[in-house]
Amino acid sequence: MGFATIVPVAADLRREALEQTMLLGALDDESLDKLAAAGRLRSYHRGDPVVLAGEAGGDLLVVAAGRLKVLARSPDGAAVVLAVAMVGDTLGELSLLDRCPRSATVEAAAETTVLWLPRDAVLAMLRNNPDLAEELLRQQAETIRRVSGMVADLVFLDLPRRVAKYVVEHTDHRGLAQLDMSQSELAAAVGGVRQSVNGALRGLERRGWIEMEGRSVTVHDRAALEQYAAVSAT
C-alpha cells in the first residue's frame, strides 16, 4: 500500500474531502458524516506508491489534496500514464465492485493526501442511494470510453499529434494548458519518451500554434491544433 503516513485529523476534514467529489458530494449530511467517520486519511510524498497493480483491492480512494497518477507498466519497466487524478477524483471503483486485484499502479505525483474508504461502507451507501449507484456506473462508462480513445490514439496518431491532442484536451477557456507535470510524466501520458515529446512541443511552437513557459502552454491557434490532431472542437 505504499509509504503512507496516517494523518490524525478531525472527521470534518474527511467530510470536506468527500464533499469535493462528484460521486459522493451530493449525499445528505447524515450519510456524509457516517462515511467520513469510516474513512482514514493518509499522506504521501511525490513518487510514493499508493497502490500496486495486482495487490488486493476493495477500498475506494478519494484525492483530498495533491494529485495521483495511474500507471500501467510493462515487464521491462516502461510506463504509460492512464490517468491523472486531481482533488475530488475517486479511484479504485473496479476493485470495489468486483473484489479483483488492483488493475493498475497508483503513485503520488505531488505531496498528496488520500482518503481511504472501506469497501463495506461504500457499498452500504450504494445500496441505500440508487442515484449514487447510477452515477458510479456513469463514471465507469466514461472511463472505458476514455481508455478506448487512448488505445485508438496510440494506433492511429503519431507522437506529435498525440501531444497536440493532449494539449488541446487540457486547454482552458483562456487558452492556457497547465500540464502540471514533468516532460517525463507527459511522455508517459502520451506513450512516448521525454526527448521526443520535447521535440513535438517545440515543433508545435515553431508553427506558432503554442508558446511554452515552464509547465504552462499558451495556445495561440486551437483550431490548427485540433485539425492537426484530428480532434473535434467541443
Side-chain angles (χ1 to χ4, degrees):
M1 187 169 52
F3 309 113
T5 300
I6 296 176
V7 182
V9 294
D12 60 338
L13 296 181
R14 297 195 293 267
R15 172 170 168 156
E16 181 180 339
L18 294 176
E19 289 175 334
Q20 296 180 93
T21 70
M22 288 187 62
L23 179 61
L24 304 168
L27 289 171
D28 59 66
D29 289 342
E30 181 181 355
S31 297
L32 280 171
D33 288 339
K34 186 175 181 179
L35 198 54
R40 58 203 185 279
L41 281 169
R42 293 191 170 117
S43 63
Y44 301 86
H45 298 299
R46 178 185 173 92
D48 283 352
V50 179
V51 299
L52 298 175
E55 71 180 11
D59 289 356
L60 185 69
L61 282 62
V62 177
V63 184
R67 67 185 189 277
L68 302 174
K69 55 184 178 181
V70 183
L71 304 165
R73 280 203 169 92
S74 67
D76 62 2
V80 172
V81 178
L82 302 177
V84 175
M86 310 298 287
V87 172
D89 288 338
T90 56
L91 295 171
E93 292 89 347
L94 285 179
S95 293
L96 173 79
L97 294 172
D98 64 13
R99 292 180 179 269
C100 290
R102 301 288 185 186
S103 60
T105 291
V106 178
E107 292 181 358
E111 297 295 310
T112 302
T113 302
V114 177
L115 176 64
W116 289 72
L117 298 173
R119 180 177 188 271
D120 290 345
V122 179
L123 289 181
M125 288 296 168
L126 291 174
R127 295 187 186 101
N128 294 326
N129 296 271
D131 289 345
L132 181 62
E134 183 176 343
E135 174 61 18
L136 177 60
L137 291 174
R138 187 197 66 77
Q139 290 188 14
Q140 290 308 290
E142 184 178 285
T143 298
I144 292 170
R145 290 180 184 277
R146 178 178 55 77
V147 174
S148 297
M150 289 176 62
V151 172
D153 289 346
L154 288 170
V155 173
F156 297 116
L157 297 179
D158 59 21
L159 180 63
R161 285 174 170 78
R162 295 201 300 272
V163 171
K165 182 174 181 179
Y166 191 92
V167 170
V168 168
E169 291 176 343
H170 290 79
T171 300
D172 62 21
H173 66 282
R174 300 167 299 171
L176 297 177
Q178 297 289 343
L179 302 184
D180 202 22
M181 59 176 64
S182 69
Q183 286 193 358
S184 294
E185 292 171 333
L186 176 58
V190 298
V193 297
R194 183 181 61 80
Q195 294 87 345
S196 298
V197 168
N198 181 60
L201 287 168
R202 294 300 177 189
L204 299 177
E205 190 172 39
R206 285 194 298 272
R207 292 171 184 254
W209 297 343
I210 67 170
E211 181 179 346
M212 296 192 303
E213 184 175 351
R215 297 186 181 184
S216 295
V217 174
T218 300
V219 175
H220 294 304
D221 194 338
R222 178 169 181 150
L225 280 178
E226 289 174 343
Q227 183 176 6
Y228 179 68
V231 180
S232 299
T234 55

